[in-house]
Amino acid sequence: SQTIHQWPATLVQPVGSPLSLECTVEGTSNPNLYWYRQAAGRGLQLLFYSVGIGQISSEVPQNLSASRPQDRQFILSSKKLLLSDSGFYLCAWSWGGLRDGTDTQYFGPGTRLTVL
Amino acid sequence: EDKVVQSPLSLVVHEGDTVTLNCSYEVTNFRSLLWYKQEKKAPTFLFMLTSSGIEKKSGRLSSILDKKELFSILNITATQTGDSAIYLCAVARSSNTGKLIFGQGTTLQVKP
């Protein structure tokens, strides 16, 4: 079976500090990977997605970046955090490739980031 | 521009009530519609709907899709306090990226 891990679970960082959030998936190969941010009580905003190693697509302009150094590893980074970067960050995976009926994304436990 | 709109945004009911959550969409190349339940942390998958008029059911939860009128409903009967959560609707387009377009979510509170 497949599992998805995210760490850390919570993070408090000062404005201007760097950020690195990690996500790993087990039990599958060549998954599609996604980073979302969720403001309190709201829907999910897609930040980045990746269909393969080194392939990153950005959905919104921001001071965040993403990388996929290995097939099942997805990293969200920032060089200098802003107050507006606070939120709940979720990583998700789905089956990769041209499949029908496999639109379901499976989410990790999330990281709650507070920028002070 | 593709969009998914959920209503109501929030809802307070008492245990035993029946609730209906709505999700309408305007998306090109529609492929499927998904419902998720989010409590404290990760959204958990409830249903995926691809065909009109076919009800999906799991216990007290059920959902149906209308591809002509471009909406879906999620019904919860005999609500319990454990049903309190954010319910998210998302739509997938025909592509190989697997991207989902999410609605704003409906926050449901079930009071004892």
Side-chain angles (χ1 to χ4, degrees):
Chain A
S1 63
Q2 299 77 34
T3 55
I4 178 168
H5 305 279
Q6 278 186 253
W7 63 92
T10 60
L11 192 59
V12 180
Q13 292 283 93
V15 169
S17 63
L19 173 74
S20 181
L21 303 181
E22 189 162 343
C23 170
T24 58
V25 181
E26 295 176 356
T28 184
S29 60
N30 196 32
N32 291 340
L33 297 171
Y34 311 86
W35 277 112
Y36 291 91
R37 178 168 57 206
Q38 185 177 33
R42 302 297 302 276
L44 305 183
Q45 179 189 34
L46 180 63
L47 302 175
F48 300 95
Y49 70 92
S50 171
V51 299
I53 296 174
Q55 301 178 61
I56 309 294
S57 295
S58 173
E59 289 294 293
V60 293
Q62 59 209 318
N63 71 320
L64 299 171
S65 62
S67 62
R68 185 171 176 173
Q70 300 180 47
D71 181 44
R72 291 168 288 178
Q73 182 185 31
F74 205 22
I75 297 171
L76 183 69
S77 304
S78 174
K79 292 181 180 178
K80 288 186 177 182
L81 283 169
L82 307 172
L83 287 174
S84 58
D85 291 324
S86 293
F88 189 49
Y89 288 82
L90 287 159
C91 180
W93 74 273
S94 67
W95 295 104
L98 291 169
R99 297 170 178 249
D100 285 332
T102 56
D103 296 321
T104 306
Q105 292 184 12
Y106 302 94
F107 289 84
T111 295
R112 192 162 300 282
L113 172 66
T114 303
V115 182
L116 301 174
Chain B
E1 182 184 341
D2 295 331
K3 61 180 179 180
V4 177
V5 178
Q6 293 184 244
S7 64
L9 292 181
S10 65
L11 189 57
V12 180
V13 301
H14 287 92
E15 274 192 316
D17 289 348
T18 294
V19 298
T20 298
L21 309 183
N22 303 287
C23 176
S24 63
Y25 61 91
E26 293 178 26
V27 173
T28 55
N29 300 318
F30 171 91
R31 184 161 71 191
S32 64
L33 185 144
L34 297 92
W35 285 98
Y36 286 86
K37 176 183 181 183
Q38 184 180 24
E39 296 176 83
K40 298 284 186 191
K41 294 189 175 181
T44 54
F45 171 72
L46 294 176
F47 301 110
M48 184 173 75
L49 304 153
T50 57
S51 302
S52 274
I54 299 175
E55 185 184 56
K56 292 269 182 110
K57 196 171 173 67
S58 176
R60 296 177 292 103
L61 278 66
S62 63
S63 184
I64 198 161
L65 174 67
D66 186 328
K67 291 169 73 173
K68 181 180 177 184
E69 300 297 329
L70 308 183
F71 76 93
S72 172
I73 60 171
L74 175 68
N75 277 322
I76 309 175
T77 59
T79 51
Q80 302 170 358
T81 55
D83 295 325
S84 297
I86 299 173
Y87 290 85
L88 297 165
C89 171
V91 171
R93 299 173 58 196
S94 297
S95 75
N96 67 340
T97 65
K99 287 166 52 180
L100 296 177
I101 304 163
F102 278 86
Q104 325 92 298
T106 293
T107 300
L108 172 65
Q109 183 184 358
V110 181
K111 291 187 172 182

